[in-house]
Amino acid sequence: MATRSQTAAVLLAGALALAACGSGGEQAPAPQSGGKTLVIDTSFDLKTADPGRTYEPTGLIVGKATYETLLTFEGSDVTKPVPALAESYELSEDGKVLTLKLKQGATFADGSPITADDVVFSLTRVRDMKGTPSFLLDGVEIAKTDDTTVTMTSEKANAALPYILPNPALGILNSDVVKENGGTADAQDKAEQYLNANSAGSGPYQIESFNVSSQVVLKANAKYHGDKPAYDKVVIRNVESATQKLNVQRGDSQMALNLSGDQVTNMPDNLQVKKTASANVFFLLANQNPEISDVTTNAKFVEAVRKGVDYAGLLELAGEGSTRAPGVIPSQILGALPVADAVERDVEGAKAALAESGLSNPTVKLEFPTELTVNGLSFQPLAERVQANLKEVGITVDLQPAPVTTALDNYRNGKEEMGLWYWGPDYPDPNDYLAFLPGQTVGERAGWKAGAAEELEELGAKAATAIGDDARTQAYHEVQRELNKVGPFIPLIQPSQNIVAAASVTGVEYHPVWQVDVADLGAE
């Protein structure tokens, strides 16, 4: 999106969530009860169960289980939104109006019907409370056309909107219940305390107990209008990663969500290990602000770095399941570049570019966060590998590790000469990656001001308003190819996402937005 005031907060939330992979709260015991119970160990980043306020990874798992959205995704496929509480949807030819027909017969957990008024209230509340996820609906007007129809009208063409609506933050609430408990559709809303203890949605599960530091217990919704979930109870626990491994191996849990590639090697045969590339993309940035550096602003220097990195070596560090990142858009999302577009290491070409730059034996500072792991992968070994790669080219890299809060501050404020970072999708649509263009969120962090690359910016404006999958795919391919040619960013890898589960758990799939869909998990 062109402007998103919450992006920095979202990035910090995501960073702290992943940092928690190395430290969790004390393990809470799973409750004993009748029926089938599923125990999931993860590293908590959890602040609230109020869907209008949640944007943390653990909160999205809970929100997906307890609330339903108008649209969703089938399994792990994020390339095509499908109906959920809406039975159908249609985007106008100009891309500005999304019309949704509501499914009839759907009910909340208290048995009351889901109405168009509930939809309008819920989505307006998210937008106007100005919580973390409010940017998802910036510039979107929500209106009830009739009892079964809702329209969402954007100021500009907004083909990304159907991909945004599946986000659990946009779950539909029982407006009558929420209003009775302090809810409003603006910043005066006071329903969070109620929603942290009670579910006001229509999802397959309801909240039984909720603790932001130890565990969340979900119970099956007895009045769920869809297929009955396989488990009567789901316990989601905050557990340090090493303990997660022990628990799943000895059967104290049935799933572990935060294990590194090293931790999932040599797992016993009675466990299933799902390895797939995550939707996180590691990248290098070279600051384009001449007040920060007279080295990284040199286009031939950036070319030397791009050609000098040993991408295959970085993949080896990241482990099985990881993949190259040919562009900034990850492989799961519409508009991702084909692997054939990925840059191959060319040491001689890198040396030639450096010679053309006129820089003699340049030294640059590379900043990155410490005590932070992304999918079990820490930044230090990646930075050290980049340092060694560029030394072969003739570039001296001075590593500057910093605590995550310090590093994030420098990154957000455009103070890093070079930086090693990652980007995870706010929503699974290529629109989210226009943030890397000049004058946009990540572009600004690299000191890349609006007007710095006019041809690229024109391509970005065209892509933002493109309609139709084919046209959008082509438009975002053009954006990324030009970005790779003239931009200060060097996409590196997508680290692997590892999920370990007992053999008895079926339907295990990694999802880029909500990690796992609890309701899709079956039991043998």
Side-chain angles (χ1 to χ4, degrees), residues 436-455:
F436 284 83
L437 270 56
Q440 305 306 320
T441 304
V442 190
E444 287 281 354
R445 293 171 183 176
W448 210 24
K449 302 297 183 182
E454 291 184 0
E455 183 177 345

Side-chain angles (χ1 to χ4, degrees), residues 153-178:
T153 305
S154 302
E155 298 167 354
K156 299 178 180 179
N158 190 0
L161 191 54
Y163 295 83
I164 293 171
L165 284 177
N167 193 296
L170 303 182
I172 305 305
L173 301 89
N174 186 326
S175 58
D176 290 340
V177 171
V178 173

Side-chain angles (χ1 to χ4, degrees), residues 170-479:
L170 303 182
I172 305 305
L173 301 89
N174 186 326
S175 58
D176 290 340
V177 171
V178 173
K179 289 175 182 177
E180 289 170 3
N181 290 278
T184 60
D186 55 32
Q188 305 307 310
D189 179 90
K190 293 180 174 60
E192 183 178 13
Q193 184 176 352
Y194 173 82
L195 293 172
N196 280 342
N198 304 273
S199 298
S202 61
Y205 287 95
Q206 296 177 274
I207 291 173
E208 180 169 293
S209 65
F210 183 84
N211 186 297
V212 295
S213 60
S214 60
Q215 75 175 20
V216 176
V217 180
L218 307 176
K219 61 182 179 181
N221 174 6
K223 295 184 179 180
Y224 183 53
H225 58 90
D227 294 335
K228 178 179 172 62
Y231 295 94
D232 300 289
K233 189 162 294 191
V234 176
V235 183
I236 306 170
R237 305 187 298 192
N238 186 21
V239 180
E240 190 270 338
S241 61
T243 307
Q244 288 186 35
K245 180 178 179 179
L246 291 174
N247 285 348
V248 75
Q249 285 180 320
R250 62 194 178 197
D252 291 343
S253 67
Q254 287 75 53
M255 293 187 73
L257 302 184
N258 294 101
L259 300 184
S260 69
D262 289 340
Q263 287 176 311
V264 300
T265 57
N266 301 318
M267 281 287 179
D269 293 339
N270 64 330
L271 296 175
Q272 53 180 316
V273 180
K274 295 287 186 178
K275 295 182 181 180
T276 185
S278 71
N280 296 313
V281 173
F282 277 88
F283 64 91
L284 293 170
L285 70 83
N287 203 304
Q288 298 301 291
N289 183 349
E291 295 181 5
I292 299 296
S293 176
D294 58 3
V295 174
T296 58
T297 50
N298 188 308
K300 284 295 179 180
F301 170 83
V302 178
E303 181 183 337
V305 173
R306 191 184 310 278
K307 291 180 175 178
V309 171
D310 179 7
Y311 301 96
L314 296 179
L315 273 183
E316 289 178 9
L317 279 178
E320 188 178 346
S322 303
T323 189
R324 280 293 311 276
V328 293
I329 298 176
S331 57
Q332 299 93 336
I333 294 178
L334 182 145
L337 284 174
V339 175
D341 277 56
V343 175
E344 297 296 335
R345 191 180 197 207
D346 177 6
V347 175
E348 293 307 313
K351 289 179 178 178
L354 187 61
E356 290 182 56
S357 74
L359 301 168
S360 179
N361 300 314
T363 297
V364 291
K365 295 179 179 178
L366 176 62
E367 296 188 39
F368 57 92
T370 56
E371 90 271 346
L372 171 60
T373 59
V374 179
N375 303 107
L377 185 62
S378 64
F379 287 72
Q380 182 78 32
L382 292 175
E384 291 173 351
R385 185 65 63 93
V386 169
Q387 179 187 48
N389 294 163
L390 297 185
K391 183 177 181 180
E392 295 178 43
V393 173
I395 299 170
T396 299
V397 177
D398 179 11
L399 299 185
Q400 298 279 312
V404 63
T405 51
T406 302
L408 273 170
D409 184 62
N410 288 341
Y411 168 59
R412 289 196 301 256
N413 292 307
K415 296 179 179 179
E416 297 180 330
E417 185 174 27
M418 286 190 71
L420 173 62
W421 285 97
Y422 81 101
W423 181 269
D426 293 313
Y427 47 88
D429 187 86
N431 178 293
D432 194 40
Y433 294 83
L434 295 176
F436 284 83
L437 270 56
Q440 305 306 320
T441 304
V442 190
E444 287 281 354
R445 293 171 183 176
W448 210 24
K449 302 297 183 182
E454 291 184 0
E455 183 177 345
L456 173 62
E457 291 167 71
E458 289 175 4
L459 290 172
K462 177 184 174 183
T465 56
I467 304 297
D469 288 354
D470 291 343
R472 301 186 78 218
T473 296
Q474 181 179 343
Y476 283 101
H477 281 179
E478 292 175 0
V479 167

Side-chain angles (χ1 to χ4, degrees), residues 120-129 179 182-189:
V120 173
F121 171 83
S122 300
L123 299 183
T124 303
R125 179 175 180 266
V126 175
R127 185 194 65 198
D128 293 349
M129 277 197 308
K179 289 175 182 177
T184 60
D186 55 32
Q188 305 307 310
D189 179 90

